[in-house]
Amino acid sequence: MSNKLNYSRKASLSMKLTEFEVPPMQDLLIIGRGAPIGPEAVRRMAEALSPEQFSVLKVDHPKVEAVLLRKSLLEMLDRQMLLEIILGEADRLINESMVLKAELNITISIQREVELQ
């Protein structure tokens, strides 16, 4: 007989968005299409400050050109799901000339029930 009766797995996300400033590194940067710094320059900056820690993801969005995202976050959640959440929230705040930095905390909660003997 299986010890698992109920199993649920959920992710809770909280994100803080602020305008880009120095020092620039946090969990992610959202780069507007007309921002003064482009995705390639952001990638080089991230590599210089935190080698191998970030990925630049180009996106198809009217205001956003790319998102610089900490690689560890991509290991926790699906890339497309993360981008949809990030872009959905940023869309309300960003204009094409902005670069937003954001703190993104992911909390995974797992609940299991087992049969007692």
Side-chain angles (χ1 to χ4, degrees), residues 8-55:
S8 74
R9 208 176 151 150
K10 296 178 184 176
S12 173
L13 287 83
S14 96
M15 182 168 50
K16 294 179 186 175
L17 296 169
T18 59
E19 199 159 358
F20 178 74
E21 58 190 46
V22 177
M25 304 311 293
Q26 198 120 40
D27 295 319
L28 65 104
L29 292 178
I30 304 163
I31 306 153
R33 290 207 168 276
I37 184 169
E40 182 55 29
V42 167
R43 186 197 61 74
R44 287 193 308 268
M45 176 189 62
E47 278 302 306
L49 295 173
S50 302
E52 304 286 322
Q53 298 299 309
F54 290 87
S55 290

Side-chain angles (χ1 to χ4, degrees), residues 13-110:
L13 287 83
S14 96
M15 182 168 50
K16 294 179 186 175
L17 296 169
T18 59
E19 199 159 358
F20 178 74
E21 58 190 46
V22 177
M25 304 311 293
Q26 198 120 40
D27 295 319
L28 65 104
L29 292 178
I30 304 163
I31 306 153
R33 290 207 168 276
I37 184 169
E40 182 55 29
V42 167
R43 186 197 61 74
R44 287 193 308 268
M45 176 189 62
E47 278 302 306
L49 295 173
S50 302
E52 304 286 322
Q53 298 299 309
F54 290 87
S55 290
V56 173
L57 308 174
K58 297 259 186 168
V59 297
D60 181 22
H61 186 275
K63 297 187 225 174
V64 177
E65 183 173 359
V67 175
L68 176 80
L69 192 59
R70 189 175 296 279
K71 286 182 179 178
S72 61
L73 297 172
L74 289 169
E75 294 169 3
M76 296 178 77
L77 288 179
D78 176 71
R79 170 185 278 187
Q80 192 58 38
M81 181 192 319
L82 267 175
L83 284 175
E84 285 176 19
I85 293 167
I86 292 166
L87 294 174
E89 294 303 320
D91 190 54
R92 299 174 185 155
L93 301 171
I94 198 167
N95 67 44
E96 289 187 7
S97 65
M98 294 174 77
V99 176
L100 295 178
K101 72 175 182 176
E103 178 182 331
L104 178 62
N105 298 309
I106 299 174
T107 303
I108 307 293
S109 61
I110 300 169

